[in-house]
Amino acid sequence: MGPKPPFALVVSEGMRNRGFTLRGLCREAGLDPSFFSKILSGKRSPPAEEDVLRRLAALLDLEAAELIVAAGRIPSEWHALWSDPVLLRDVHARASGGHAAPRALPKKAPAARAAAPEPVLPRHSGGLSEELL
């Protein structure tokens, strides 16, 4: 069998850090231990329901957005990704290790363009959602 999927790694580490057994976590989260065991072994996909992922994140003291992304989903609070193509391009560039193409400046007077430099996103390790947004 191949390496554990990201979701399984994040959850397993969270369980270890918080002292949860599989059955204990599933009891608290309202999940079937047999089914969740298959998820953690990579035989089944992570839960698709955001409320389940958020419940697990809270129990494991994890950032919800990080667990949701590890499950292959996009957190609902990232709704701007769907409506802002520039933001989506920038996030994609950061996530794929590339650099985003420079943003086109809005058509304004030349003096206005020179006076308003484009904001730069800080690079820090404040969590996945802060790094991507």
Side-chain angles (χ1 to χ4, degrees), residues 21-22 30 40 51 56 66 72 78 80 98-99 104-105 107:
T21 63
L22 175 67
L40 294 180
D51 63 318
L56 284 169
E66 183 178 356
W78 292 6
H99 297 286
L105 294 172
K107 299 214 179 233

Side-chain angles (χ1 to χ4, degrees), residues 5-8 11 31-32 34-49 52-53 56 67-68 70-73:
F7 178 82
V11 170
L31 300 171
D32 176 56
S34 175
F35 180 73
F36 202 66
S37 173
K38 291 175 184 161
I39 291 171
L40 294 180
S41 69
K43 295 177 184 175
R44 299 293 303 252
S45 296
E49 301 82 13
V52 172
L53 295 168
L56 284 169
L67 187 62
I68 293 167
R73 307 284 180 222

Side-chain angles (χ1 to χ4, degrees), residues 58-117:
L59 288 167
L60 298 173
D61 198 26
L62 300 171
E63 184 180 333
E66 183 178 356
L67 187 62
I68 293 167
V69 170
R73 307 284 180 222
I74 298 175
S76 59
E77 63 266 25
W78 292 6
H79 69 277
L81 288 173
W82 289 280
S83 59
D84 186 343
V86 174
L87 176 60
L88 180 60
R89 185 186 69 225
D90 289 350
V91 169
H92 174 71
R94 282 182 157 232
S96 62
H99 297 286
R103 292 183 185 181
L105 294 172
K107 299 214 179 233
K108 293 182 182 177
R113 267 189 252 152

